[in-house]
Amino acid sequence: MNAQIALTSLSIAFLFAIIFERYVEVVDRRAAARINRSEQARVSASSQLEVRLGGWLTRLLPTYVRQVSSDLYWAAFTDGGWRERTPASVFLRQLLITFGVAFAAYLALGSTIALIGGMFIGWTLARSDLRAKAETVRLRIAQELPEFVQLMAAESASGAALDTVLRRASTGTTHTAAWFRRVLDLAAGKAIFIHGSEGGYLRTAAEESGHSGLISLAIQLGFVGKGVQVQNLLKSLAITFADEFIAQAETRAERLGSSLGVMSAIFYFLPFVITVLVIVGVPLINTISG
């Protein structure tokens, strides 16, 4: 009972701390200036801690860092709230949510099994919003890529240079056009395509995004820049990207049933069984053991 009271008090104190940090405003401007200076020092210390944690995660969990970095890249593409996040901050957020859900489950059911189940559920759900937002943008890019390349093929019929063709195609309103438009703006004064044995800025940006379709297109456009027939290659690429998207859509559709079954078992059936065992099973065992 004392442990439950202590955990409840800590949870309430933590909740009030978050509310005050987010919503309380300072009225005195001179006091605000002093607070800002102290906040800058604290932010600097927290940034150093975040950098150290990021380096530690990169060494111990490189796959996790790559996945989170890619998710952050695409989530920030449509939602500015993710723009300043780092894999380290996502990891800390995931830990916080995991322990919060675990403590809530323990306080509600008072069982070690509930604590372990809460940790598993919290860790799984903590990145679900980031992963879902990033995956939505990735799928949108994959869906739009064949049409974008086909548009480039049509533009190349005028005989314009490849960078001019790319700029004309990127004037659209799609996610793919917006990504290429941003890359071209950032590539001002840099080589867009492959120069010699080095990759151009377009390929570097595509590899940073982690999107397989964009990486493939950047590599192929480098070969186009080396003198390969432009229009024919672009048409062939458009067909290839369309076929790949259809194949991936069919694969996702086939996996949907099993995925829904697993998720239902984890987040609906398993908590139900744990609740029944804790509420009915524990008193029954205590009664039998006497």
Side-chain angles (χ1 to χ4, degrees), residues 120-142:
F120 174 76
I121 294 173
W123 181 263
T124 305
L125 292 178
R127 268 181 59 201
S128 60
D129 56 340
L130 172 61
R131 189 183 298 110
K133 188 177 291 292
E135 191 63 23
T136 299
V137 182
R138 289 194 192 99
L139 290 176
R140 184 75 175 271
I141 295 288

Side-chain angles (χ1 to χ4, degrees), residues 49-51 53-54 57 64 68 72 86-93:
L49 177 62
E50 193 170 310
V51 170
L53 178 60
L57 288 174
Y64 174 86
V68 173
L72 286 173
T86 63
S89 65
V90 172
F91 179 77
L92 291 175
R93 172 178 176 265

Side-chain angles (χ1 to χ4, degrees), residues 64-263:
Y64 174 86
V65 172
R66 284 195 301 269
Q67 292 175 349
V68 173
S69 299
S70 180
D71 289 343
L72 286 173
Y73 181 95
W74 288 115
F77 187 76
T78 56
D79 186 354
W82 295 100
R83 194 160 295 156
E84 300 299 328
R85 303 289 185 90
T86 63
S89 65
V90 172
F91 179 77
L92 291 175
R93 172 178 176 265
Q94 199 167 1
L95 282 182
L96 181 62
I97 295 176
T98 298
F99 286 115
V101 174
F103 286 149
Y106 179 77
L107 290 174
L109 302 177
S111 170
T112 305
I113 298 176
L115 180 67
I116 297 173
M119 292 180 67
F120 174 76
I121 294 173
W123 181 263
T124 305
L125 292 178
R127 268 181 59 201
S128 60
D129 56 340
L130 172 61
R131 189 183 298 110
K133 188 177 291 292
E135 191 63 23
T136 299
V137 182
R138 289 194 192 99
L139 290 176
R140 184 75 175 271
I141 295 288
Q143 181 182 5
E144 296 171 351
L145 202 55
E147 183 179 355
F148 182 84
V149 178
Q150 189 66 40
L151 179 60
M152 287 185 62
E155 291 288 346
S156 66
S158 64
L162 186 57
D163 56 345
T164 303
V165 169
L166 190 57
R167 289 188 181 278
R168 289 176 181 174
S170 63
T171 57
T173 58
T174 63
H175 282 46
T176 306
W179 184 84
F180 277 98
R181 190 162 55 247
R182 186 177 70 174
V183 170
L184 291 173
D185 291 340
L186 294 174
K190 302 176 183 178
I192 300 176
F193 304 110
I194 293 177
H195 179 69
S197 60
E198 299 180 357
Y201 187 82
L202 179 62
R203 181 172 175 178
T204 302
E207 290 175 348
E208 180 184 356
S209 72
H211 196 289
S212 58
L214 294 176
I215 295 173
S216 176
L217 179 59
I219 294 173
Q220 296 297 329
L221 289 180
F223 291 126
V224 171
K226 288 185 175 182
V228 180
Q229 189 69 25
V230 177
Q231 191 174 18
N232 292 336
L233 179 59
L234 290 176
K235 287 181 179 180
S236 176
L237 283 175
I239 296 173
T240 301
F241 288 138
D243 292 341
E244 288 179 356
F245 177 76
I246 293 173
Q248 292 173 2
E250 292 176 350
T251 303
R252 288 193 299 270
E254 292 175 356
R255 293 178 179 175
L256 182 60
S258 58
S259 299
L260 290 177
V262 172
M263 297 300 289

Side-chain angles (χ1 to χ4, degrees), residues 14-43:
F14 182 73
L15 178 62
F16 274 104
I18 292 177
I19 293 174
F20 276 106
E21 182 181 1
R22 288 184 176 273
Y23 298 107
V24 174
E25 297 182 358
V26 180
V27 178
D28 188 351
R29 295 184 179 275
R30 289 176 296 178
R34 291 194 296 271
I35 291 175
N36 286 335
R37 287 194 293 270
S38 63
E39 285 290 331
Q40 289 176 358
R42 189 179 71 178
V43 168

Side-chain angles (χ1 to χ4, degrees), residues 1-14 103 107:
M1 179 64 69
N2 292 332
Q4 293 182 359
I5 294 174
L7 288 174
T8 304
S9 301
L10 288 174
S11 301
I12 294 174
F14 182 73
F103 286 149
L107 290 174

